[in-house]
Amino acid sequence: MKELLAATLQTWAQQASPEQLRAGPGAADLGGRSVVAAAADDLASSPLFAYLIDLAGTDEAGPSDPQRAQLDQAVLRGIAEHDRYTSYTSAVSRLLTYPTLTKRLGRALESALQKRAEAGIDAHATPAVAAIGATATEAWLHLCTTGVLREHRLLGFLTDLPDSIADVALEMATRLPRIVGLVHEHFHDDDLLMLLQRLADIPEAEADAGFELALADLRRALDADNQDELIPALARARSGFAAVEACDEARHDAQAYAAAIDAIMAFGWSDPTPLHDAVTRLEAAVHQHRAWLSGGYQPPWNWARVHAETAWLQLSMTLTAAAEPLHDACWYHPSQALAALLDAYQAGRSFAAHTNGGGPGVEVLIQPAIEGTFLRDANRLALLDRALAHDPSLADDDAAQQLHTAIHAAITTRNTASRATTPPSTGGDRLGKDLSRLTAVLHHFGIEDAASLVKRAPPHLQEVMESLLWNDEIAQAETGNVKVERKLQELQRELAGSPDWSGPMGGPFTILLRQTMLFLSSRYNIGATMGGQRTAYLRSSGGTAPLEKPLHQDYFEWLSQGPLYNTLQAEPINRGRGRADVLVRFRNASFCVECKREQDDATRDGLRTYAGQAAVYTDTDAAFGILLALDLTTPTSGSPDLFSSIWVERVQREREDDPRYIVIARLPGNKPHPSATTTPPRRP
């Protein structure tokens, strides 16, 4: 039977298309379900084990079907008994892509994985058995972190290891540090730290174990409630990463985290040079680490680690932009300075490159430095007040108004306390003639007792003011570009016509829409020197027209470096009976982005023809989607501007109760250089 199945599989492989080869054979391709079920045990013990996983994972028979039961039992036997490391690893990686199958196998699967893990730590385990045990433990970790299995048996298995870890084969010992570190990151059991310390005594595992211990210190710092807890934890983490660098100079991940800590600690210093230096080192380390990992397999339970480095880089670069206005004697471009500080303020509050989600973390360092900019400098507070009062992008923004209310509530409280504790003045303005004009400016914006605002408050009053600020919801950051904000507000007003436009769906879609708008803005401006090969699809080459794939890849990478980095999925299947280009998953809704190219008609009517496909992907979810179109029809007089190239199309099919709302975003390709752009004729 095994030989017959192998011959059938070889015949199928010779005739299959590339897409069919990637997807693997179906039961019908191998002679039918009965043939596959009869040979299931042979498949489980052969190098074709991965195909058995595929067949069981895609089987749609009911729970009482005997052939499905045969497939499931064969999968369990393979997980528990298969003895070829490479095919076992391939099969397990396939298994993790079928959540329905893993849930169906449940505790029986956990028992099989635990059996292999226990065999892998046996003192007499061969290298192959130890390596298979490590792979099984990694799969066990994945199923626990995704909620398929409970974590208690895994924690028990790992916390019992410290006393025997010295006898474990290197094939298991060298892979345990990352497993143990991720288990600690997800489940916060500090008994695991003892195991990491024992692993650090094994020379071959020392660097990995030290890195995980340093990450544990960093997580403790990010969950700190105050600077007294934060700074020592950051210092311990920084020392740990330095030790890993000393042990292995190729550890770009340790270099990245060390530089990120340096950047956070340097923010707020009077000299911005250390911050700039740290961000430069961080950027180089992140890029080197990404290049190091490119082309290799990354297990799904490890993806967040790579994305976290990008999150640190994004935060650090935001702080770099805010460092200059934080210390400048005056602001030559006040709106840009305000935007940079608001970006950093929001970034510090929302930063979450760890999983615990406990205390305020880096906010403890960032928030007071930015608040002090406005509370200690009356001119800057006046500029903030004026921006909130007159900037159209902030006037209707609830978060910005909350910031305004919070600061002035703190000022009023401080002034009340100051009047109660300060003896009456003996006459004259204590600010002196040089500062007396500040009083008039601040009174113009309705601020009473301006003199006490600009003088240094006693420590106990600063504590009162800080308490009020910490307990209020502070404004979300804005881009600083008024026209971009106006366009986003215009799109939101139109999308609000949908019955689905509520907090759990409208809010997340707004985040995706903002990131798409910023992507368009960047790609409209980017030139050949800065864009390089990655954005070559945007430049006129005189050769073959670019395909939509480079646009898809560029957009996906852009989203991967922003706040949505851990919500993305590329080309998921079974979405509206097809394959979407980009899927963005939130807790209560998911949204699809479809990428197209247009060589003939990139008008609104021309691009609307693609909106139907984008609408299909919303059939079972929120009624919002995005169509990103590469316009290859740009005339010599130039493409339409950014604000004319993004709009909302309503798509409502027969017998549908409500329309689908598809945002179409047009990105010009083959765009001529500004010097080669002709002036269009005057319009009548």
Side-chain angles (χ1 to χ4, degrees), residues 228-511:
D228 291 340
E229 297 176 8
L230 172 70
I231 293 177
L234 278 179
R236 286 193 299 273
R238 181 63 178 87
S239 298
F241 291 125
V244 174
E245 287 187 72
C247 179
D248 184 355
E249 62 181 12
R251 288 302 295 257
H252 302 120
D253 49 359
Q255 296 169 19
Y257 279 106
I261 293 174
D262 291 343
I264 296 299
M265 295 295 290
F267 184 71
W269 292 2
S270 57
D271 181 6
T273 303
L275 173 59
H276 287 285
D277 173 69
V279 172
T280 299
R281 288 187 285 113
L282 173 58
E283 185 174 14
V286 169
H287 291 164
Q288 287 171 335
H289 194 216
R290 187 175 299 167
W292 186 276
L293 296 176
S294 64
Y297 171 71
Q298 285 294 308
W301 42 265
N302 195 45
W303 291 345
R305 284 287 178 87
V306 180
H307 293 315
E309 295 174 12
T310 303
W312 280 103
L313 177 58
Q314 187 174 27
L315 172 66
S316 300
M317 296 184 76
T318 301
L319 297 183
T320 300
E324 291 187 11
L326 191 68
H327 301 295
D328 282 347
C330 64
W331 292 344
Y332 189 69
H333 296 290
S335 62
Q336 295 177 10
L338 284 174
L341 289 173
L342 287 172
D343 280 347
Y345 193 79
Q346 189 271 345
R349 290 177 59 83
S350 62
F351 181 71
H354 69 310
T355 59
N356 295 19
V362 297
E363 178 183 357
V364 173
L365 289 176
I366 296 171
Q367 187 181 32
I370 296 176
E371 289 169 357
T373 298
F374 298 105
L375 291 169
R376 291 192 299 268
D377 191 314
N379 279 319
R380 294 180 180 181
L381 180 58
L383 288 170
L384 177 61
D385 286 336
R386 185 169 183 82
L388 292 170
H390 299 288
D391 190 327
S393 67
L394 299 177
D396 299 325
D397 188 289
D398 292 338
Q401 295 303 324
Q402 289 172 3
L403 172 62
H404 180 269
T405 302
I407 289 181
H408 285 287
I411 292 170
T412 300
T413 300
R414 185 183 69 176
N415 290 344
T416 301
S418 179
R419 284 193 291 268
T421 58
T422 303
S425 173
T426 56
D429 187 348
R430 286 174 296 173
L431 292 175
K433 293 183 179 180
D434 291 341
L435 297 179
S436 61
R437 57 183 176 178
L438 294 181
T439 305
V441 172
L442 297 177
H443 274 299
H444 176 72
F445 291 104
I447 300 175
E448 299 178 358
D449 199 4
S452 57
L453 171 64
V454 295
K455 75 180 186 66
R456 183 180 299 274
H460 71 281
L461 296 182
Q462 293 182 13
E463 292 176 1
V464 172
M465 182 171 55
E466 269 195 348
S467 175
L468 287 172
L469 288 170
W470 279 86
N471 293 331
D472 279 285
E473 186 70 18
I474 306 300
Q476 294 280 328
E478 296 291 350
T479 65
N481 186 320
V482 172
K483 289 197 68 173
V484 169
E485 294 304 318
R486 285 177 179 170
K487 186 63 181 181
L488 287 169
Q489 291 171 9
E490 173 191 319
L491 296 172
Q492 287 176 275
R493 285 193 294 269
E494 192 165 354
L495 294 166
S498 169
D500 286 355
W501 192 258
S502 60
M505 290 181 280
F509 189 71
T510 298
I511 298 173

